[in-house]
Amino acid sequence: MVKFSKKLEYALISLRHISNAGAEVTRVRDISEKYNIPHDLLAKILQKLKKENILDSSQGINGGYTLNRKLNEIPLSELVNIIENSTSIVECMHDEDNNCMITDSCTIKDPLSRIQSEFENILKTKMISDFV
Amino acid sequence: MVKFSKKLEYALISLRHISNAGAEVTRVRDISEKYNIPHDLLAKILQKLKKENILDSSQGINGGYTLNRKLNEIPLSELVNIIENSTSIVECMHDEDNNCMITDSCTIKDPLSRIQSEFENILKTKMISDFV
DNA sequence: ATAAAACCGGACTAATATAGTCGTATTTAA
DNA sequence: TTAAATACGACTATATTAGTCCGGTTTTAT
Ligand code: SF4
Ligand code: SF4
């Protein structure tokens, strides 16, 4: 029912590492080798975090990543949305593509919608620093 | 990150329906047809709930299911464990089969373990009646 | 200049988890 | 005895997640 995806875990591990490195740049390879995370997969995750301004990056032979925001100011909800595109607990609440065939006769939409709100509030309250 | 499985949703819809039916027995077919849920899949879900004493069943031509416990006395945690066998948010916390290759170098196990406890408490507090 | 090492990004494949199906046995009222 | 229901386990199909591959571009030490 609830499962942190590997991508999300890799992101958390990386953010912790990069945060600890301070001003020093961290290469994808550093993290990849230290924690045994597939290089190419990790690279794409960090690229996404860069694109969303959570990380800074510099290219070139001495390039790498640094942290652009403080971990205690990034809510988990934001990270989950970046990595997994959605925080909805059932498909019918992810407006874009609701394919549920039983929407019309479904009797639990409303209560689940309440739960959804509660859940989103929790995700907004928890900061990345709580997870590393 | 968090997603109610269809099985779980079908279980909730069924429990609500059976609860509303009171002493009258409900057949799998009644629910299956009313809510457009695949019959055989639903049957197995209800069988499981019967096995765990959440439902009562009677066989034979006039058979069917009735509720054996009150919905406001069944915590969500129990239903999730029945339907999905686990409430762990990462594989390394589901003792039986931890295949995570990076367990040794993982830096987020401890914080996630705290989150896991918090999460389980929420699941224990929420009753099925909150979801229907 | 050029080589090296990084970032970038899309298409692809592999592995796993979820959803759904099928066949058969058992029970029971009529 | 037959029809309609639960009960169980093996199977298949689909969707999601995880991971790979490849062909770029950018930067910088030499
Ligand atoms: S309509 Fe009901 S069954 Fe379908 S996705 Fe929404 S909550 Fe789940
Ligand atoms: S060891 Fe770390 S990465 Fe592996 S499952 Fe546990 S929390 Fe996730």
Side-chain angles (χ1 to χ4, degrees), chain B residues 27-29 44 47 57 59 61 65:
Chain B
R27 298 170 302 165
V28 171
R29 221 180 90 195
K44 294 211 298 188
Q47 281 161 31
S57 75
Q59 280 185 306
I61 194 164
Y65 293 96

Side-chain angles (χ1 to χ4, degrees), chain A residues 66-124:
Chain A
T66 53
L67 201 59
N68 195 33
R69 287 169 59 190
K70 289 176 183 154
L71 295 190
N72 61 8
E73 291 170 359
I74 307 170
L76 180 61
S77 58
E78 189 175 339
L79 190 64
V80 171
N81 271 313
I82 291 171
I83 302 290
E84 302 179 359
N85 299 311
S86 159
T87 55
S88 68
I89 60 179
V90 282
E91 59 176 308
C92 65
M93 280 162 209
H94 191 198
D95 294 342
E96 300 161 32
D97 45 19
N98 172 20
N99 297 317
C100 178
M101 299 320 287
I102 72 174
T103 301
D104 290 343
S105 49
C106 178
T107 55
I108 60 173
K109 275 194 307 266
D110 288 359
L112 284 187
S113 151
R114 284 202 322 274
I115 299 287
Q116 171 81 48
S117 301
E118 278 189 50
F119 176 68
E120 276 170 8
N121 282 333
I122 293 174
L123 289 193
K124 276 180 202 153

Side-chain angles (χ1 to χ4, degrees), chain A residues 4 6 9-10 13, chain B residues 90-93 98 100-110 112:
Chain A
F4 280 60
K6 285 293 176 195
E9 293 189 36
Y10 295 160
I13 291 172
Chain B
V90 283
E91 60 176 308
C92 67
M93 280 162 208
N98 172 20
C100 179
M101 301 319 288
I102 72 175
T103 302
D104 291 341
S105 49
C106 178
T107 55
I108 59 171
K109 275 194 305 267
D110 289 359
L112 283 188

